[in-house]
């Protein structure tokens, strides 16, 4: 999973397990492997899409990168600096370089603060102390995301969902970041508004030179905005490829299943895999997808496959 230029973000063998407690004494009985050895990298000014079904660990990856959660194992390098070993105080300065756009634009904004107050907090962190300069910077950020300057004095509940997401984007941009983690940024919006926000993100990337980690389950959106795509299943990356390659030549059975579920008025270029009786893997160490895979072999239940290269910058975790 390499890129032609040095990545701005490089994640290797990232793991996060959550304990499962049972019984009267709440002893740890098992662990949920939310993130189980994830590798990914993002090139400067590029968009990496992270896709998969709900619960596969996509949002947990973003929270680990932001250090909202601490990883159990693995490394996270931002601009060639290892950030998992930094103290909270040391990481505070770097946090300005990495910002997050959340799924729900209403709950991510303080309902007791005006738009200007929410954005001005970031402007102050960015180093602008003069009140007049702060107001001017807030106005610039609002206009940058397509909001009128007059909206600065209003509260979040006075806006529509799309407008609130624009405010959230402006707040994220207030500290002049280089990397934005977009966690399902349009899934809570009306379909008519989603295209506007996606086009806004593309315009901002071009004008500001931003890099994106774009988390979504909408493959149509991912194919439009992303340069590279990683498919995630049960905490692991099962396929990674340039966006055009992934959609033209998907290799992993799970990727095929996701693409088969995308509504399309045109006849697909390939036929979805046929349904097959679900079988249990031969051993717990086997491929997690083997219980659903239509091409399961006996060896699939013995050992979890490694990532193998099947084309230029195209990797698949599969034996078939």
């Amino acid at each position: 999973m390499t890129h032609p230029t040095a990545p701005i973000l490089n994640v290797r063998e990232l793991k996060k397990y959550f304990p499962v407690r049972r019984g009267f004494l709440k002893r740890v009985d098992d662990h949920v492997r939310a993130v189980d050895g994830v590798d990914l990298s993002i090139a400067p000014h590029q968009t990496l899409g992270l896709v998969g079904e709900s619960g596969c660990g996509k949002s947990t990856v973003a929270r680990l990168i932001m250090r909202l959660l601490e990883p159990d194992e693995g490394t996270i390098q931002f601009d060639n600096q290892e950030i998992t070993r930094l103290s909270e105080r040391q990481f505070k300065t770097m946090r300005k370089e990495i910002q997050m756009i959340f799924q729900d634009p209403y709950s991510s904004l303080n309902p007791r603060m005006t738009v200007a107050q929410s954005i001005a907090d970031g402007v102050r962190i960015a180093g602008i102390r003069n009140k007049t300069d702060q107001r001017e910077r807030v106005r610039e950020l609002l206009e940058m995301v397509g909001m009128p300057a007059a909206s600065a004095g209003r509260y979040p509940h006075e806006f529509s969902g799309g407008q609130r997401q624009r405010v959230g984007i402006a707040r994220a941009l207030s500290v002049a970041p280089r990397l934005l983690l977009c966690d399902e940024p349009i899934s809570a919006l009306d379909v008519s508004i989603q295209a506007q926000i996606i086009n806004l993100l593309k315009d901002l990337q071009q004008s500001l030179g931003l890099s994106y980690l774009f988390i979504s389950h909408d493959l149509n959106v991912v194919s439009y905005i992303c340069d590279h795509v990683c498919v995630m299943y049960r905490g692991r990356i099962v396929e990674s490829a340039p966006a055009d390659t992934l959609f033209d030549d998907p290799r992993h059975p799970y990727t095929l299943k996701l693409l088969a579920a995308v509504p399309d008025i045109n006849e697909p270029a390939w036929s979805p895999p046929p349904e097959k009786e679900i079988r249990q893997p031969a051993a717990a160490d086997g491929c997690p997808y083997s219980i659903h895979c239509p091409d399961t072999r006996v060896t699939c239940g013995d050992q979890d496959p490694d990532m193998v290269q099947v084309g230029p910058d195209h990797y698949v975790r599969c034996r078939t």
Side-chain angles (χ1 to χ4, degrees):
M1 288 174 282
T2 59
H3 292 282
T5 58
I8 188 173
L9 181 75
N10 194 23
V11 174
R12 288 293 175 265
E13 286 298 318
L14 192 64
K15 295 183 179 181
K16 183 64 180 179
Y17 297 173
F18 294 101
V20 177
R21 301 180 183 274
R22 294 189 177 95
F24 179 75
L25 298 178
K26 298 298 181 182
R27 291 176 177 169
V28 177
D29 182 65
D30 200 353
H31 287 84
V32 175
R33 299 185 177 189
V35 178
D36 192 16
V38 163
D39 295 342
L40 57 84
S41 57
I42 304 176
H45 319 310
Q46 298 291 302
T47 300
L48 172 68
L50 188 59
V51 303
E53 61 194 7
S54 297
C56 70
K58 306 186 301 295
S59 296
T60 305
V61 170
R63 281 160 173 75
L64 290 169
I65 295 171
M66 279 292 295
R67 294 278 302 272
L68 300 177
L69 294 171
E70 292 298 327
D72 296 328
E73 294 181 27
T75 61
I76 304 172
Q77 290 186 338
F78 178 77
D79 201 17
N80 292 321
Q81 183 174 0
E82 173 58 53
I83 66 176
T84 55
R85 299 191 183 99
L86 299 179
S87 66
E88 179 60 31
R89 187 171 186 176
Q90 291 172 322
F91 185 64
K92 185 176 181 180
T93 301
M94 185 169 290
R95 185 168 273 130
K96 293 188 296 184
E97 304 282 339
I98 310 172
Q99 286 295 296
M100 195 163 180
I101 301 172
F102 296 92
Q103 178 177 358
D104 186 352
Y106 186 72
S107 62
S108 63
L109 295 172
N110 190 333
R112 298 185 178 184
M113 296 176 67
T114 64
V115 166
Q117 290 171 331
S118 294
I119 300 176
D121 279 346
V123 173
R124 282 192 294 272
I125 294 173
I128 300 177
R129 304 294 181 181
N130 182 277
K131 295 292 185 181
T132 302
D133 292 341
Q134 287 179 9
R135 287 193 293 269
E136 177 63 21
R137 179 57 178 162
V138 168
R139 183 189 66 78
E140 291 176 357
L141 288 167
L142 286 173
E143 292 180 350
M144 189 182 299
V145 299
M147 293 288 288
S151 62
R154 297 165 63 185
Y155 289 87
H157 72 272
E158 300 180 69
F159 297 100
S160 66
Q163 291 173 324
R164 284 194 290 265
Q165 192 62 287
R166 290 175 185 270
V167 173
I169 295 171
R171 185 183 60 177
L173 295 176
S174 63
V175 293
R178 297 165 59 197
L179 173 65
L180 284 183
L181 310 180
C182 307
D183 186 10
E184 302 269 10
I186 62 169
S187 62
L189 306 179
D190 293 339
V191 175
S192 60
I193 306 298
Q194 291 181 0
Q196 298 177 20
I197 299 300
I198 290 299
N199 288 328
L200 172 63
L201 290 173
K202 286 180 70 72
D203 292 342
L204 291 172
Q205 183 176 48
Q206 184 174 6
S207 60
L208 301 177
L210 297 170
S211 301
Y212 294 146
L213 173 63
F214 191 87
I215 298 171
S216 180
H217 61 268
D218 191 330
L219 294 178
N220 284 324
V221 173
V222 168
S223 67
Y224 176 70
I225 194 173
C226 296
D227 302 290
H228 197 95
V229 181
C230 290
V231 180
M232 196 167 180
Y233 178 74
R234 291 183 62 176
R236 309 197 76 181
I237 303 296
V238 297
E239 186 162 4
S240 173
D244 291 342
T245 302
L246 186 90
F247 287 93
D248 292 340
D249 185 26
R251 296 294 187 90
H252 196 279
Y254 180 63
T255 308
L256 292 169
K257 182 179 179 181
L258 289 179
L259 290 172
V262 177
D264 192 349
I265 59 174
N266 300 313
E267 185 70 20
W270 48 268
S271 298
E275 294 293 332
K276 195 172 184 179
E277 181 183 358
I278 294 177
R279 297 179 289 181
Q280 295 297 325
D285 295 331
C287 174
Y289 192 66
S290 62
I291 61 174
H292 303 294
C293 180
D295 298 316
T296 301
R297 301 177 181 179
V298 174
T299 55
C300 294
D302 298 332
Q303 186 178 3
D304 195 3
D306 296 324
M307 275 285 201
V308 295
Q309 187 169 4
V310 295
D313 207 16
H314 190 178
Y315 297 83
V316 179
R317 190 184 300 277
C318 186
R319 293 178 180 273
T320 59

